[in-house]
Amino acid sequence: MTEPHVKGVAKPGRSTGPDRRRPVVLALMLGMGLAAVDGTIVSTAVPQIVGDLGGLAVFSWLFSGYLLAVTVTLPVYGKLSDTYGRRPVLIAGVVLFLIGSLLCAAAWNMASLIAFRVVQGLGGGALQGTIQTIAADLYPLKERPRIQARLSSVWAASSVAGPAAGGLLAGYADWRWIFLINLPIGLVALWLIWRHLVEPARTTPRPPVRIDWAGALAIFATGALLLTALVQGGVAWPWLSAPSLGLLGGSAALGALTVVIERRAAEPIIPGWVWRRRTISAVNLALGALGLLMVAPTVFLPTYAQSVLGLGPIAAGFVLSVMTLSWPISAAFSNRVYSRVGFRLTAVIGISLALLLLLAFPLLPFPGEPWQPALLMLLLGAALGLFQLPLIVGVQSTVPYEERGTTTASVLFCRQVGQSVGAAVFGAVANGVLAARLGGSGDLDALARSLDSPGSLTAEATDHLRRAVDTAVDYVFMGAAGAAALALLVLLTLAPRRFPVLKEAAGDED
């Protein structure tokens, strides 16, 4: 299988026509923006959506359903992109995402909106994995940090702008525009991909390929049960209740069945070599730990900033957003580090710094000043930029074109699963600490709402609740530090000292 190229360029990233790649890069950035914004833009419009459609008891599935569809389809799209090429998979993903967006805008009740969000997620899975793979196809090893930094910048900007845009559209127009706004952006991306991204004809006939649909269905079902258990456990029902135990047991049984199906399949969706190769398995585990630790700043820091520091939503968002500013800048310059010391050592440096910063968070004074957690987040973003990008670029450089989609999808899949597990585990940790501190059942969200109405509480009660939230978030950050330590251990014990970069790029790391 040969690599894709833009029109007029025989070898992507190795010609003298970088300007020809710009339309494709713009398409990738637009596609990444669609996938990134859609994960956050709905959050601030929930009151308007619930007021119009009802369904308050199940509105969380607006997020969970989308996350579920993205996560479980990533390995499927990775295999399809290696089999049939990146272009048709990305085009199909954009089209499916836009169809889902149009259907969401036409939803007539909460059940239909949740179903259409799942359709969006089916397209979002193709966007996330395939865009990262095409970026690696288009640029040689030395230039990949630039394109990856651009994609990281889009993701960072979208995570900050999404909630604000959702609130503005819901408040001054109609919540349905949250989904309709995707259409012009997606159509521009679709046209650029159709017009400028070309995959050359094969020099040898492609042998017949059998898609492992049984494996794909088994992966989807396993992921659906597992993520449902993790998302709803401790929220819709207790962790040790029959629904939680049933879902977890069912996901374990289906996982075992998936292994059997994949071992017997001629073209498995998740081939065994993904886990047998030391480099890929190490990166998968390390980035799974990254997904786990990222829950602490992205989910719990805004609550800490508002409930403990007393900041408003915009100021609380700024405390978190500084991390998204330093991350892409650090990632863009990471090649100057890994070109000298190698991918593994660069990642070790990054995660070691992140570990120290996460451990420093519980040492902050109570209540403290806003600049203190903001400074930690600024440094944490820089540390994680040194950690994540070298691992992604490095692992992509160890496989040929025909295995790059599957490899990239496996990495993103593990990171997504880590985030889902982290949300469930750290949510249970926070609520357990609150229950112990307050002598009853703990609910971080309920306490945050109480602290938003300080007039209903005495000064002593308010201080007591703030201290309880502060302690709960401290424990979450210590758990995140444990995830960082796990990632560090994986890199030191499992990852090779030098990644086995393919011959054409071998000189770039040394």
Side-chain angles (χ1 to χ4, degrees), residues 357-381:
L357 292 166
L358 291 168
L359 289 173
F361 186 90
L363 302 178
L364 293 178
F366 175 86
E369 298 293 332
W371 67 265
Q372 294 167 333
L375 177 60
L376 286 183
M377 292 305 104
L378 183 71
L379 297 175
L380 182 63

mmCIF file of all heavy atoms in Angstrom, residues 357-381:
data_model
loop_
_atom_site.group_PDB
_atom_site.id
_atom_site.type_symbol
_atom_site.label_atom_id
_atom_site.label_comp_id
_atom_site.label_asym_id
_atom_site.label_seq_id
_atom_site.Cartn_x
_atom_site.Cartn_y
_atom_site.Cartn_z
ATOM 1 N N LEU A 357 4.052 18.189 39.655
ATOM 2 C CA LEU A 357 3.053 19.255 39.667
ATOM 3 C C LEU A 357 1.729 18.766 40.248
ATOM 4 O O LEU A 357 1.056 19.492 40.997
ATOM 5 C CB LEU A 357 2.854 19.790 38.250
ATOM 6 C CG LEU A 357 4.057 20.543 37.671
ATOM 7 C CD1 LEU A 357 3.906 20.733 36.169
ATOM 8 C CD2 LEU A 357 4.212 21.905 38.354
ATOM 9 N N LEU A 358 1.336 17.548 39.921
ATOM 10 C CA LEU A 358 0.101 16.997 40.473
ATOM 11 C C LEU A 358 0.220 16.800 41.981
ATOM 12 O O LEU A 358 -0.737 17.021 42.733
ATOM 13 C CB LEU A 358 -0.233 15.677 39.786
ATOM 14 C CG LEU A 358 -0.658 15.799 38.316
ATOM 15 C CD1 LEU A 358 -0.677 14.433 37.644
ATOM 16 C CD2 LEU A 358 -2.031 16.460 38.195
ATOM 17 N N LEU A 359 1.401 16.374 42.440
ATOM 18 C CA LEU A 359 1.623 16.229 43.874
ATOM 19 C C LEU A 359 1.656 17.577 44.590
ATOM 20 O O LEU A 359 1.367 17.664 45.784
ATOM 21 C CB LEU A 359 2.934 15.482 44.125
ATOM 22 C CG LEU A 359 2.942 13.987 43.792
ATOM 23 C CD1 LEU A 359 4.348 13.425 43.937
ATOM 24 C CD2 LEU A 359 1.955 13.223 44.692
ATOM 25 N N ALA A 360 2.014 18.634 43.849
ATOM 26 C CA ALA A 360 2.078 19.971 44.460
ATOM 27 C C ALA A 360 0.694 20.559 44.692
ATOM 28 O O ALA A 360 0.518 21.424 45.566
ATOM 29 C CB ALA A 360 2.901 20.911 43.584
ATOM 30 N N PHE A 361 -0.305 20.108 43.924
ATOM 31 C CA PHE A 361 -1.637 20.715 44.039
ATOM 32 C C PHE A 361 -2.208 20.595 45.457
ATOM 33 O O PHE A 361 -2.726 21.587 45.999
ATOM 34 C CB PHE A 361 -2.593 20.098 43.019
ATOM 35 C CG PHE A 361 -3.930 20.767 42.969
ATOM 36 C CD1 PHE A 361 -4.150 21.828 42.106
ATOM 37 C CD2 PHE A 361 -4.974 20.362 43.793
ATOM 38 C CE1 PHE A 361 -5.379 22.468 42.070
ATOM 39 C CE2 PHE A 361 -6.206 20.992 43.767
ATOM 40 C CZ PHE A 361 -6.411 22.054 42.896
ATOM 41 N N PRO A 362 -2.162 19.413 46.108
ATOM 42 C CA PRO A 362 -2.705 19.333 47.474
ATOM 43 C C PRO A 362 -1.958 20.200 48.490
ATOM 44 O O PRO A 362 -2.463 20.410 49.598
ATOM 45 C CB PRO A 362 -2.553 17.843 47.832
ATOM 46 C CG PRO A 362 -2.502 17.135 46.520
ATOM 47 C CD PRO A 362 -1.768 18.072 45.612
ATOM 48 N N LEU A 363 -0.771 20.695 48.123
ATOM 49 C CA LEU A 363 -0.003 21.536 49.033
ATOM 50 C C LEU A 363 -0.393 23.010 48.955
ATOM 51 O O LEU A 363 0.109 23.829 49.726
ATOM 52 C CB LEU A 363 1.498 21.392 48.740
ATOM 53 C CG LEU A 363 2.071 19.973 48.845
ATOM 54 C CD1 LEU A 363 3.547 19.973 48.482
ATOM 55 C CD2 LEU A 363 1.846 19.392 50.241
ATOM 56 N N LEU A 364 -1.296 23.354 48.021
ATOM 57 C CA LEU A 364 -1.732 24.744 47.900
ATOM 58 C C LEU A 364 -2.458 25.166 49.171
ATOM 59 O O LEU A 364 -3.184 24.374 49.786
ATOM 60 C CB LEU A 364 -2.647 24.917 46.693
ATOM 61 C CG LEU A 364 -2.022 24.717 45.311
ATOM 62 C CD1 LEU A 364 -3.089 24.872 44.221
ATOM 63 C CD2 LEU A 364 -0.886 25.708 45.081
ATOM 64 N N PRO A 365 -2.296 26.417 49.591
ATOM 65 C CA PRO A 365 -2.980 26.881 50.810
ATOM 66 C C PRO A 365 -4.485 26.975 50.602
ATOM 67 O O PRO A 365 -4.970 27.066 49.470
ATOM 68 C CB PRO A 365 -2.359 28.261 51.053
ATOM 69 C CG PRO A 365 -1.910 28.709 49.694
ATOM 70 C CD PRO A 365 -1.469 27.476 48.977
ATOM 71 N N PHE A 366 -5.222 26.950 51.693
ATOM 72 C CA PHE A 366 -6.673 27.118 51.627
ATOM 73 C C PHE A 366 -7.032 28.510 52.124
ATOM 74 O O PHE A 366 -6.565 28.933 53.192
ATOM 75 C CB PHE A 366 -7.380 26.067 52.488
ATOM 76 C CG PHE A 366 -8.869 26.277 52.557
ATOM 77 C CD1 PHE A 366 -9.688 25.744 51.585
ATOM 78 C CD2 PHE A 366 -9.441 27.024 53.593
ATOM 79 C CE1 PHE A 366 -11.060 25.939 51.638
ATOM 80 C CE2 PHE A 366 -10.815 27.236 53.645
ATOM 81 C CZ PHE A 366 -11.629 26.696 52.665
ATOM 82 N N PRO A 367 -7.839 29.285 51.407
ATOM 83 C CA PRO A 367 -8.365 28.980 50.084
ATOM 84 C C PRO A 367 -7.379 29.278 48.967
ATOM 85 O O PRO A 367 -7.549 28.821 47.854
ATOM 86 C CB PRO A 367 -9.596 29.865 50.002
ATOM 87 C CG PRO A 367 -9.234 31.077 50.826
ATOM 88 C CD PRO A 367 -8.395 30.542 51.953
ATOM 89 N N GLY A 368 -6.365 30.081 49.264
ATOM 90 C CA GLY A 368 -5.358 30.380 48.261
ATOM 91 C C GLY A 368 -5.783 31.451 47.278
ATOM 92 O O GLY A 368 -6.891 31.990 47.339
ATOM 93 N N GLU A 369 -4.850 31.772 46.370
ATOM 94 C CA GLU A 369 -5.092 32.768 45.331
ATOM 95 C C GLU A 369 -5.261 32.077 43.980
ATOM 96 O O GLU A 369 -4.639 31.038 43.726
ATOM 97 C CB GLU A 369 -3.925 33.756 45.259
ATOM 98 C CG GLU A 369 -3.695 34.560 46.526
ATOM 99 C CD GLU A 369 -4.838 35.522 46.807
ATOM 100 O OE1 GLU A 369 -5.503 35.948 45.818
ATOM 101 O OE2 GLU A 369 -5.088 35.828 47.976
ATOM 102 N N PRO A 370 -6.078 32.642 43.075
ATOM 103 C CA PRO A 370 -6.312 31.990 41.777
ATOM 104 C C PRO A 370 -5.049 31.767 40.959
ATOM 105 O O PRO A 370 -4.970 30.803 40.180
ATOM 106 C CB PRO A 370 -7.264 32.961 41.074
ATOM 107 C CG PRO A 370 -7.962 33.684 42.181
ATOM 108 C CD PRO A 370 -6.943 33.810 43.276
ATOM 109 N N TRP A 371 -4.041 32.647 41.129
ATOM 110 C CA TRP A 371 -2.847 32.501 40.297
ATOM 111 C C TRP A 371 -2.066 31.229 40.660
ATOM 112 O O TRP A 371 -1.301 30.720 39.833
ATOM 113 C CB TRP A 371 -1.929 33.722 40.436
ATOM 114 C CG TRP A 371 -1.296 33.906 41.784
ATOM 115 C CD1 TRP A 371 -1.764 34.683 42.802
ATOM 116 C CD2 TRP A 371 -0.091 33.294 42.273
ATOM 117 N NE1 TRP A 371 -0.927 34.611 43.890
ATOM 118 C CE2 TRP A 371 0.115 33.770 43.594
ATOM 119 C CE3 TRP A 371 0.839 32.414 41.727
ATOM 120 C CZ2 TRP A 371 1.202 33.375 44.366
ATOM 121 C CZ3 TRP A 371 1.927 32.022 42.494
ATOM 122 C CH2 TRP A 371 2.099 32.496 43.782
ATOM 123 N N GLN A 372 -2.271 30.720 41.861
ATOM 124 C CA GLN A 372 -1.500 29.539 42.272
ATOM 125 C C GLN A 372 -1.902 28.285 41.488
ATOM 126 O O GLN A 372 -1.047 27.636 40.877
ATOM 127 C CB GLN A 372 -1.650 29.336 43.780
ATOM 128 C CG GLN A 372 -1.022 30.470 44.586
ATOM 129 C CD GLN A 372 -1.410 30.460 46.053
ATOM 130 O OE1 GLN A 372 -2.490 29.967 46.425
ATOM 131 N NE2 GLN A 372 -0.559 30.994 46.915
ATOM 132 N N PRO A 373 -3.184 27.877 41.443
ATOM 133 C CA PRO A 373 -3.527 26.744 40.584
ATOM 134 C C PRO A 373 -3.340 27.059 39.101
ATOM 135 O O PRO A 373 -3.022 26.154 38.312
ATOM 136 C CB PRO A 373 -4.997 26.464 40.918
ATOM 137 C CG PRO A 373 -5.515 27.732 41.494
ATOM 138 C CD PRO A 373 -4.348 28.342 42.220
ATOM 139 N N ALA A 374 -3.519 28.332 38.708
ATOM 140 C CA ALA A 374 -3.310 28.689 37.301
ATOM 141 C C ALA A 374 -1.857 28.450 36.892
ATOM 142 O O ALA A 374 -1.574 27.941 35.798
ATOM 143 C CB ALA A 374 -3.703 30.144 37.056
ATOM 144 N N LEU A 375 -0.914 28.804 37.775
ATOM 145 C CA LEU A 375 0.500 28.574 37.477
ATOM 146 C C LEU A 375 0.789 27.079 37.356
ATOM 147 O O LEU A 375 1.517 26.640 36.457
ATOM 148 C CB LEU A 375 1.372 29.199 38.557
ATOM 149 C CG LEU A 375 2.890 28.978 38.423
ATOM 150 C CD1 LEU A 375 3.401 29.566 37.106
ATOM 151 C CD2 LEU A 375 3.630 29.585 39.607
ATOM 152 N N LEU A 376 0.223 26.286 38.264
ATOM 153 C CA LEU A 376 0.424 24.842 38.184
ATOM 154 C C LEU A 376 -0.128 24.286 36.875
ATOM 155 O O LEU A 376 0.490 23.419 36.240
ATOM 156 C CB LEU A 376 -0.258 24.151 39.372
ATOM 157 C CG LEU A 376 0.409 24.279 40.741
ATOM 158 C CD1 LEU A 376 -0.371 23.474 41.777
ATOM 159 C CD2 LEU A 376 1.858 23.798 40.696
ATOM 160 N N MET A 377 -1.295 24.777 36.436
ATOM 161 C CA MET A 377 -1.889 24.285 35.185
ATOM 162 C C MET A 377 -1.068 24.715 33.976
ATOM 163 O O MET A 377 -0.940 23.964 33.000
ATOM 164 C CB MET A 377 -3.324 24.796 35.042
ATOM 165 C CG MET A 377 -4.285 24.199 36.050
ATOM 166 S SD MET A 377 -4.311 22.382 36.045
ATOM 167 C CE MET A 377 -3.350 22.032 37.543
ATOM 168 N N LEU A 378 -0.494 25.914 34.041
ATOM 169 C CA LEU A 378 0.374 26.364 32.952
ATOM 170 C C LEU A 378 1.574 25.438 32.804
ATOM 171 O O LEU A 378 1.933 25.004 31.695
ATOM 172 C CB LEU A 378 0.830 27.800 33.211
ATOM 173 C CG LEU A 378 1.698 28.452 32.124
ATOM 174 C CD1 LEU A 378 0.855 28.751 30.892
ATOM 175 C CD2 LEU A 378 2.333 29.744 32.650
ATOM 176 N N LEU A 379 2.193 25.101 33.928
ATOM 177 C CA LEU A 379 3.348 24.208 33.908
ATOM 178 C C LEU A 379 2.940 22.774 33.564
ATOM 179 O O LEU A 379 3.675 22.059 32.876
ATOM 180 C CB LEU A 379 4.045 24.246 35.266
ATOM 181 C CG LEU A 379 4.634 25.599 35.666
ATOM 182 C CD1 LEU A 379 5.183 25.533 37.089
ATOM 183 C CD2 LEU A 379 5.720 26.039 34.693
ATOM 184 N N LEU A 380 1.750 22.358 34.023
ATOM 185 C CA LEU A 380 1.283 21.006 33.726
ATOM 186 C C LEU A 380 1.047 20.837 32.229
ATOM 187 O O LEU A 380 1.385 19.792 31.653
ATOM 188 C CB LEU A 380 -0.007 20.721 34.499
ATOM 189 C CG LEU A 380 -0.591 19.313 34.316
ATOM 190 C CD1 LEU A 380 0.374 18.252 34.832
ATOM 191 C CD2 LEU A 380 -1.938 19.192 35.010
ATOM 192 N N GLY A 381 0.472 21.849 31.589
ATOM 193 C CA GLY A 381 0.274 21.775 30.141
ATOM 194 C C GLY A 381 1.589 21.626 29.402
ATOM 195 O O GLY A 381 1.708 20.833 28.457
#
